[in-house]
Amino acid sequence: MFETVKYLIGSTGASGFGSKSTGEDVTAAAPDLRSITAIITGATSGIGAETARVLAMRGARLVLPARSLKAAEETRARITGEFPGAEIIVLPLDLSSLSSVGCFVFRFLALNLPLNLLINNAGKFSYEHAVSEDGVEVTFATNYLGHFLLTKLLLNKMAETARETGIEGRIVNVSSSIHGWFFGDCLGYLDQMTRKKAAYDATRAYALSKLANVLHTKELTQRLEQMDANVTANCVHPGIVRTRLTRDREGLVTDLAFFLASKLLKTIPQAAATTCYVATHPRLEGVSGKYFADCNEVSPSSSASSPHEAARLWRASEAMTAPRPDRTWFGLEPPLSSDKPADEM
């Protein structure tokens, strides 16, 4: 009850920020990001679009991957309309397709740009069962697996940029407190769901993908340390906000549910605050492997805290994203390969 009251009144935590803080508020301590290049997935609307707007306001160069280039161009036009000097590059990316992820990375690396920030923000809530072209349930494929491969293929570039510039690289995985709603065997449930051996539960599928984001962050942190890379990885819960995530079910019922929950909802500028804080604030230099909500470090669920499950998911993800004759990574050599064979998953 006490935590709910603190949330509603916007009480600040140890960071000096809280649930009512905005992206602009939390980036005031890092007002000049002109030396920073950031990739932000899911930046065509909602929290991602506001994150992109705030980083552009502070001077960062942005790369916006998008499935809809039209939507991404509209986002670029809105931001450059407000900040005429903003540098924004739009590239195609469909996170549910591993081949598309590989193509995006190839195109990005061909630009010979540095990479300081990777914000894995894009999310999908699929009400109907669907399987990606790679044979993976589509919510998991979009929210987690595509981001897993994207991150892995960009790690060498991020480590190189940090080494050459002396500026710490940061990876921010956007999860949700809903990750705590999933209990059980992650990989077993994914297999059952993909093969339709269990009734499809859209909320549980979404919770699984968000749990995977937290576990990814945990294992990624360990492997970055093994690389001795000056790159951190952290995970955030942005808060409850109405975005286009519910676009498949707009209507009276959805409208009523959000109206009843309106006192708990954040505005989009408030929802972007934790991502912006973790991506830019000087106070978090060297902080890695943590989970943040309302711009303060909090504890994730017990399921998200298991090193064994994090390592197990990583090994399975490597197997699911391995190159095949019909999809290659254009000669890229992803680092951080598992030292255990896939049959030990």
Side-chain angles (χ1 to χ4, degrees):
M1 180 66 181
F2 179 64
E3 291 300 318
T4 302
V5 172
K6 284 175 62 179
Y7 173 86
L8 290 173
I9 65 175
S11 177
T12 60
S15 68
F17 303 110
S19 63
K20 302 301 183 185
S21 301
T22 67
E24 291 190 21
D25 294 336
V26 303
T27 55
D32 188 356
L33 299 179
R34 285 177 293 179
S35 61
I36 300 299
T37 299
I39 292 176
I40 309 171
T41 68
T44 58
S45 65
I47 297 168
E50 176 64 8
T51 300
R53 189 192 73 82
V54 171
L55 296 188
M57 179 182 72
R58 301 302 185 194
R61 175 197 289 123
L62 305 182
V63 179
L64 306 185
R67 187 172 56 177
S68 169
L69 293 181
K70 179 177 182 292
E73 292 291 356
E74 290 171 351
T75 299
R76 174 162 63 179
R78 285 195 301 271
I79 294 174
T80 54
E82 186 175 359
F83 309 110
E87 183 179 352
I88 302 174
I89 298 164
V90 170
L91 292 174
L93 171 63
D94 178 355
L95 281 162
S96 71
S97 163
L98 298 178
S99 292
S100 179
V101 173
C103 287
F104 166 81
V105 173
F106 180 78
R107 290 186 180 106
F108 171 74
L109 294 179
L111 298 174
N112 292 315
L113 294 174
L115 180 59
N116 310 93
L117 292 179
L118 173 59
I119 300 177
N120 292 321
N121 167 82
K124 178 182 180 66
F125 190 108
S126 178
Y127 286 90
E128 306 296 334
H129 179 270
V131 175
S132 74
E133 65 182 42
D134 301 288
V136 180
E137 189 277 323
V138 75
T139 300
F140 188 87
T142 303
N143 295 358
Y144 166 69
L145 196 62
H147 282 128
F148 172 87
L149 181 61
L150 177 68
T151 302
K152 192 173 184 186
L153 294 180
L154 289 171
L155 277 178
N156 276 338
K157 170 55 73 173
M158 293 197 73
E160 175 188 286
T161 299
R163 186 169 57 251
E164 292 178 353
T165 64
I167 300 172
E168 178 184 82
R170 296 188 183 185
I171 299 166
V172 183
N173 288 332
V174 179
S175 182
S176 167
S177 61
I178 291 174
H179 82 269
W181 295 11
F182 185 89
F183 297 94
D185 180 359
C186 294
L187 295 174
Y189 181 68
L190 175 63
D191 180 65
Q192 289 182 348
M193 184 170 52
T194 297
R195 298 192 196 186
K196 296 190 74 173
K197 290 187 175 181
Y200 183 69
D201 182 329
T203 300
R204 196 166 189 225
Y206 183 75
L208 170 62
S209 71
K210 295 288 104 177
L211 174 59
N213 293 146
V214 188
L215 291 171
H216 176 217
T217 305
K218 189 174 188 67
E219 181 67 12
L220 176 59
T221 298
Q222 299 302 314
R223 292 172 184 259
L224 286 168
E225 290 177 1
Q226 293 169 17
M227 284 178 67
D228 196 27
N230 184 23
V231 179
T232 64
N234 290 291
C235 199
V236 305
H237 164 56
I240 306 170
V241 61
R242 186 172 187 178
T243 69
R244 292 187 69 247
L245 194 66
T246 59
R247 57 188 172 269
D248 292 340
R249 288 292 175 92
E250 295 293 330
L252 180 60
V253 174
T254 303
D255 290 341
L256 179 60
F258 276 98
F259 174 76
L260 294 174
S262 61
K263 295 301 181 184
L264 297 175
L265 295 179
K266 288 185 174 184
T267 66
I268 287 177
Q270 290 168 351
T274 304
T275 299
C276 291
Y277 173 72
V278 173
T280 68
H281 205 285
R283 183 183 289 119
L284 295 186
E285 184 173 350
V287 175
S288 193
K290 305 300 182 182
Y291 179 76
F292 292 82
D294 298 331
C295 303
N296 286 275
E297 183 184 337
V298 296
S299 297
S301 72
S302 57
S303 298
S305 303
S306 168
H308 171 75
E309 285 303 310
R312 180 170 175 252
L313 176 63
W314 185 285
R315 293 193 296 271
S317 302
E318 285 189 323
M320 286 187 278
T321 59
R324 303 187 314 215
D326 61 333
R327 67 173 190 226
T328 63
W329 310 143
F330 302 97
L332 295 172
E333 295 294 333
L336 308 186
S337 292
S338 172
D339 32 348
K340 293 186 179 181
D343 60 8
E344 292 187 26
M345 295 174 204

